[in-house]
Amino acid sequence: MSEVVGPEGGRMRELLRVGPGTVDLTAIDPRSTPGLPAAAGRGPTRKEWARAQVELIGAELGRQQEMLYASAQSAAGPGGATSAPAQADAGLDGNRPRRVLLVLQAMDCGGKDGTVKRVAGAMNPLGLHIRSFGPPTEEELRHDFLWRVRRALPPPGYVGVFNRSHYEDVLIARVEGLVDEATWRSRYAIINDFERELTEQAVTVVKVMLHISYDEQGERLMERLTDPAKFWKYNPSDLDTRARWGDYQAAYAEAFERCGTDAAPWFVVPADRKWYRDWAVAHLMRETFDGLDLGYPPADFDVERERDRLRSQRRE
């Protein structure tokens, strides 16, 4: 197998996108495999096939990421100003270098870290900007809830990955009663304005919820309690969160309904099968990059002249 095989039944951005209106997560089977082609085969061979495909897609993502980064570097120019050739480059939106932001949300054990490792890990770390969001610090609590998020945005030309995100402020803040209902309800509109602002600044936002089942989460938690090498991954509070599974599912569903926009849609990836999760997210990112129509920036110097200079140089 030496080439990437596309999904069947449509693009992953269509197959996994949350539609408008009320969202019912119980209607999405966490063990399903939307878009998986017949070429994947059956049984264990599907896992091997998918992992090999992720490696191939990863090479493509790395090339696209390099073009994104190169365009931004060219736009900056030697003195930091946008150069004229770079303005016309496909990696720019007007005078603004593009950025890509992958937002990952999931219940505990949903596979956010694994997705970052296997999908984002295929890209050049020099062009990656990965941030995780835990409980806010005292300093962060003194500001509005988006303050720390804005500070974590990727620079121009970078691919950013949020392991958890601003959506924690309408998920855990809601379920655990960290703020009153009027406050967390007001945040939906604020988030929509924020994400619209990002798209206007040439940031392409890809929001992914890794959807695992209650039973699968239980098995993964038990692994963490059985394997000493995984004790560090376990937190007793995980069971407190698990006890409110239904409340969190309802919070996710409303977040999708309120904040699934054309500018920044939500995608739900069935994630009980780790190999499918990685394959699906890799394709989502591949399709996202393809939609940017990126290219390497043209030289802003005389190429022939520089070649002649190089040929004429002699070691002293």
Side-chain angles (χ1 to χ4, degrees), residues 87-106:
Q87 291 180 19
D89 182 71
L92 296 167
D93 179 3
N95 293 332
R96 295 167 299 183
R98 290 175 175 164
R99 292 174 274 176
V100 174
L101 176 61
L102 172 62
V103 173
L104 293 175
Q105 288 286 159

Side-chain angles (χ1 to χ4, degrees), residues 21 39 72 88 106 123 136 141 163 165 182 187 227 239 247 303-304 309:
M123 302 181 202
L141 287 172
N163 186 333
S165 68
R187 289 174 175 172
D227 184 353
L239 291 188
D247 294 334
V303 177
E304 273 307 318
R309 289 180 63 205

Side-chain angles (χ1 to χ4, degrees), residues 222-235:
M222 186 57 72
E223 287 180 10
R224 295 181 179 185
L225 289 169
T226 304
D227 184 353
K230 295 184 178 181
F231 287 169
W232 66 274
K233 292 184 176 183
Y234 182 81
N235 188 317

Side-chain angles (χ1 to χ4, degrees), residues 169-308:
D169 292 285
V170 291
L171 294 170
I172 188 171
R174 166 182 172 164
V175 176
E176 303 300 333
L178 303 182
V179 296
D180 58 60
E181 181 173 351
T183 297
W184 61 256
R185 284 204 173 277
S186 69
R187 289 174 175 172
Y188 295 129
I190 296 171
I191 288 173
N192 286 337
D193 288 342
F194 169 61
E195 292 176 350
R196 183 165 49 250
E197 174 190 327
L198 291 182
T199 60
E200 291 171 354
Q201 295 174 353
V203 181
T204 299
V205 183
V206 185
K207 301 184 301 192
V208 174
M209 189 259 196
L210 305 174
H211 182 40
I212 65 168
S213 65
Y214 184 82
D215 290 343
E216 179 67 19
Q217 186 197 56
E219 291 182 11
R220 295 182 187 182
L221 285 171
M222 186 57 72
E223 287 180 10
R224 295 181 179 185
L225 289 169
T226 304
D227 184 353
K230 295 184 178 181
F231 287 169
W232 66 274
K233 292 184 176 183
Y234 182 81
N235 188 317
S237 66
D238 293 345
L239 291 188
D240 298 327
T241 300
R242 178 173 167 81
R244 306 199 65 175
W245 182 273
D247 294 334
Y248 274 99
Q249 297 292 293
Y252 268 107
E254 186 162 3
F256 298 155
E257 179 183 348
R258 304 288 185 185
C259 299
T261 64
D262 289 337
W266 269 104
F267 304 96
V268 174
V269 174
D272 272 14
R273 304 176 194 269
K274 297 178 182 179
W275 55 267
Y276 173 80
R277 173 202 72 201
D278 297 338
W279 178 84
V281 175
H283 266 293
L284 278 175
M285 294 302 292
R286 179 188 183 222
E287 292 171 0
T288 297
F289 273 121
D290 286 346
L292 297 180
D293 194 24
L294 295 168
Y296 287 105
D300 57 358
F301 53 84
D302 186 328
V303 177
E304 273 307 318
R305 180 173 179 273
E306 295 305 306
R307 286 175 180 162
D308 290 341

